[in-house]
Every structure is written in C-alpha cells, then in structure tokens.
Amino acid sequence: MTTQVASAKVGTPFKEVAESLVRRGVSAVPILDEDGKVVGVVSEADLLRKEEFRQQHYGEGYRPRLRARLLRRLAGHGENGKEKAAGVTAAELMSAPAVTVAPDVSTVTAAQLMDEHGVKRLVVTDEDGRLIGIVSRRDLLKAYVRDDAELKRWVEEAIPEQARWNDRTGILVQVQDGIVTLSGFTSTRSEAAAAVHMAKGLGGVVGVREKLVWDRDDRLELPLIWDRS
C-alpha cells in the first residue's frame, strides 16, 4: 500500500479537493471527519459530475475540455448527476461509506473486494477507522513481479517448522514463474490441504500445484457417537 496519502476533511471546498488531485497526481482522496476517521472517498468521477450535468442540461453546444475523459470515466454510472453537480464541499461530493480494509488483509482478499465493489482502490484503516494508507490495483500487481527465489522463501517461512522439508520428509517448495509446487510428505491429508491453502493465499502466487503424499487420510476419521440409551 501507499502510506503517504493525500486526504481532505468533510468541509474542504470543491476547488481545494480538485487542486489536491491534480497536484498529487492521484485519482481519489479519502475524506476524514473531525476525529480523523475515514467517512468516504472523493474521486475524479465525483468532481466531474459538474461537467456531466452541464452537458446534459445545457446541450451539446457546451463542450468542456474534459468532456471526452468524462464520458469515458462515467459510462454506465448510475448515481444522480444533479446531486453531485450541486456539491460544493467534500462531504457533499464524496461516495460513502468508503470501502476499507485492515492492513493485514491478504492481496487476494483485497482484489476480491475491489471486484465486488467495482472500485480501483481500497482505503486502509486501523481498528478505530483512522487512515493508514491506500492500496490500488497497481499496488496489488506489484506482488506478482517478485522473483521466484523471494516467493519461495515466503512460502517456506509460512509453512510450520515441523512440516518443512528435512532430509527425507516434510514439504518441499519449488517456484517457477510464480507457480508454486508443493511436493513431499505430510502426516495427514489435512496438513497437506492446509499447506496448499496457505500458499494460495500469499500475495504474488500465480498458482499452486500439489504433489503431496500423506500417511493418513484424517478427513475420513469421523468422531465416535456413543449410544447412552
């Protein structure tokens, strides 16, 4: 995530928010209340509602410089343009509530949230709802450019020490082009499944191939039900 984040207060004027986006070269800023808690986000699309409204209500004769960009960004958006156009402060312009995540959320979960909510960024907050940073799609993609050696070390460190490869037993990790192959031996099938699940959840892992052999299929072991009648 990016920790040096531009933000604005709920009462920040329209023009100041726009200037902040342009000056910092960002597409959105989190909006904070008086206690410093994140309450929403103002994006370029929110600000450009004024241009959209003018075009719709003053006809095609009005052609702002940002018209082409506006139409591309706002295609298919269902919000009320008139309400956004009337906004003069961050509180009136923002989309709320903000889509937030905790700092320890996995990249996989973050990507799923972006897809689910149709957003390009997530606001990272602490347990009190205060701003820590922002994670964007580009930040998530950075995980996939890690070299195989670094990724291999991450996977190995995530495997419990007693389950790691040791001479002739344990889990052996190999990585090529971001694809993790887990081979070797585990005591139970559930241990093998846990290792695969763990590897799939690590940021930067493109895929996981399982070639594990287990001694006991504990998933088939059902608890005994005593008949006390």
Side-chain angles (χ1 to χ4, degrees), residues 3-223:
T3 55
Q4 299 299 318
V5 179
S7 63
K9 296 288 188 179
V10 289
T12 302
F14 176 103
K15 187 173 181 179
E16 285 187 29
V17 177
E19 288 174 344
S20 179
L21 293 179
V22 174
R23 184 174 64 254
R24 298 293 294 268
V26 295
S27 60
V29 291
I31 305 303
L32 314 180
D33 64 14
E34 296 304 319
D35 296 323
K37 297 182 179 180
V38 178
V39 293
V41 173
V42 171
S43 68
E44 290 175 324
D46 294 322
L47 296 177
L48 289 172
R49 289 295 174 187
K50 285 189 182 295
E51 301 300 328
E52 179 192 36
F53 180 77
R54 285 181 183 133
Q55 181 179 319
Q56 289 176 343
H57 294 271
Y58 294 98
E60 286 294 318
Y62 178 80
R63 295 180 179 272
R65 290 180 297 171
L66 295 177
R67 178 173 178 271
R69 184 181 180 191
L70 166 71
L71 292 177
R72 183 172 64 251
R73 286 182 175 272
L74 300 181
H77 207 293
E79 290 185 6
N80 188 331
K82 186 174 182 179
E83 291 180 1
K84 290 289 184 181
V88 294
T89 65
E92 297 166 340
L93 296 162
M94 69 183 183
S95 297
V99 183
T100 64
V101 292
D104 57 351
V105 164
S106 70
T107 55
V108 173
T109 300
Q112 290 172 341
L113 282 171
M114 287 184 187
D115 183 61
E116 178 183 343
H117 293 277
V119 296
K120 299 178 180 179
R121 68 198 69 80
L122 299 171
V123 181
V124 184
T125 60
D126 63 18
E127 58 185 12
D128 295 320
R130 291 185 171 82
L131 179 66
I132 295 177
I134 283 185
V135 59
S136 66
R137 290 177 178 176
R138 180 172 297 180
D139 292 326
L140 297 184
L141 287 174
K142 288 178 182 178
Y144 291 98
V145 299
R146 294 191 178 98
D147 61 49
D148 289 345
E150 181 182 12
L151 199 56
K152 179 176 183 291
R153 185 171 64 253
W154 276 32
V155 176
E156 288 176 337
E157 290 175 352
I159 296 174
E161 188 173 354
Q162 66 272 17
R164 297 176 192 170
W165 180 262
N166 182 14
D167 294 332
R168 298 181 181 180
T169 62
I171 300 174
L172 178 65
V173 179
Q174 295 173 301
V175 181
Q176 183 173 359
D177 297 329
I179 299 174
V180 176
T181 299
L182 300 177
S183 58
F185 305 89
T186 62
S187 299
T188 63
R189 183 176 181 179
S190 61
E191 285 183 9
V196 172
H197 180 76
M198 173 278 301
K200 287 181 177 179
L202 289 178
V205 172
V206 175
V208 178
R209 294 172 179 165
E210 180 189 358
K211 297 182 179 180
L212 292 167
V213 178
W214 52 86
D215 293 329
R216 192 177 83 253
D217 190 349
D218 55 339
R219 291 186 175 185
L220 299 179
E221 297 174 0
L222 300 177

